Amino acid sequence: GNSVTQMEGPVTLSEEAFLTINCTYTATGYPSLFWYVQYPGEGLQLLLKATKADDKGSNKGFEATYRKETTSFHLEKGSVQVSDSAVYFCALSVFGAAGNKLTFGGGTRVLVKP
Amino acid sequence: EPEVTQTPSHQVTQMGQEVILRCVPISNHLYFYWYRQILGQKVEFLVSFYNNEISEKSEIFDDQFSVERPDGSNFTLKIRSTKLEDSAMYFCASSEAGLAGAEQYFGPGTRLTVT
């Protein structure tokens, strides 16, 4: 089956620090990989995605590279802001009869302090 | 920008009661999904819906659950007889058809509290 494992939080950082959230996956078939973000009190928003090996997704200063050899999709940002405080979810989908059903990791809460 | 909407934002119900959670997906999308997130836990897939029928459901989606697209715009999740453990945030999502890696657009969620 499909599964996603990501580092547990909470991760507490100071503003302008470097952020890494590790994510690894197992999948039957060729997955697409996603990072979703959930700000306090809100729903899930797509942050970035990559659909094939060695693709790099990027958005709002965040980046993640699809590494097939290590089955990983680690999220990075060089200089975080207080507004980046949120829960980050790594997810995968393998397109099939259920469309693009998402399998999520457990989420990593990130708290950025001024 | 088009968005997925959900109503109500918060529903409180007593154990054993029926609830209907409503969603309006993005109008040109063809795949629809329900997920749930129990407080502090991961987001879990419940069901996917395409071409007016369920295309896949998880083991969570037992006989107490049903989905329906009663008209051209709404997509509903019904829980026939709620249990305490159904308390969770329920998210609706929709996506365009036929593309691997197609983005799913999520609604803001309905928080269901079963007492």
Side-chain angles (χ1 to χ4, degrees):
Chain A
N2 300 331
S3 68
V4 176
T5 302
Q6 61 182 105
M7 59 188 287
E8 290 189 18
V11 175
T12 304
L13 302 164
S14 297
E15 213 165 16
E16 299 183 4
F18 185 86
L19 171 67
T20 299
I21 304 176
N22 289 338
C23 171
T24 57
Y25 67 89
T26 59
T28 54
Y30 202 115
S32 297
L33 303 174
F34 305 83
W35 278 99
Y36 278 83
V37 60
Q38 185 178 33
Y39 297 105
E42 298 185 15
L44 296 160
Q45 300 174 28
L46 180 67
L47 181 59
L48 53 84
K49 70 176 185 181
T51 57
K52 61 183 189 296
D54 300 324
D55 270 1
K56 178 187 282 188
S58 61
N59 186 26
K60 299 182 182 179
F62 289 89
E63 292 183 341
T65 301
Y66 189 144
R67 300 287 188 204
K68 196 164 188 292
E69 64 276 15
T70 55
T71 62
S72 65
F73 193 54
H74 305 320
L75 183 69
E76 297 182 335
K77 185 173 185 181
S79 177
V80 293
Q81 306 299 313
V82 172
S83 56
D84 294 324
S85 297
V87 181
Y88 294 82
F89 292 92
C90 186
L92 68 82
S93 70
V94 179
F95 184 72
N100 281 297
K101 173 185 80 171
L102 287 164
T103 300
F104 286 89
T108 303
R109 182 176 301 278
V110 173
L111 177 61
V112 181
K113 295 187 173 179
Chain B
E1 186 176 331
E3 59 181 16
V4 177
T5 59
Q6 291 185 242
T7 54
S9 57
H10 191 189
Q11 173 93 46
V12 181
T13 190
Q14 289 190 326
M15 198 166 50
Q17 295 297 304
E18 175 184 286
V19 294
I20 298 175
L21 310 182
R22 292 184 166 79
C23 169
V24 179
I26 294 173
S27 61
N28 64 336
H29 286 185
L30 298 178
Y31 284 89
F32 312 113
Y33 308 84
W34 283 101
Y35 295 84
R36 80 171 185 190
Q37 183 183 28
I38 295 172
L39 187 63
Q41 298 186 24
K42 68 169 63 178
V43 178
E44 302 171 290
F45 168 78
L46 291 178
V47 66
S48 61
F49 192 85
Y50 170 69
N51 200 26
N52 284 320
E53 60 183 23
I54 291 173
S55 47
E56 187 172 339
K57 58 185 180 180
S58 71
E59 62 273 11
I60 303 167
F61 195 89
D62 61 22
D63 293 344
Q64 297 299 317
F65 291 87
S66 63
V67 289
E68 194 178 30
R69 189 152 161 82
D71 52 41
S73 59
N74 289 284
F75 179 51
T76 62
L77 174 70
K78 182 192 290 186
I79 308 175
R80 190 154 51 99
S81 177
T82 50
K83 308 184 187 92
L84 294 175
E85 54 265 36
D86 294 327
S87 295
M89 182 74 89
Y90 289 80
F91 293 106
C92 173
S94 68
S95 70
E96 294 179 274
L99 297 172
E103 177 179 353
Q104 286 187 30
Y105 292 79
F106 282 78
T110 292
R111 180 169 299 284
L112 177 65
T113 302
V114 183
T115 61

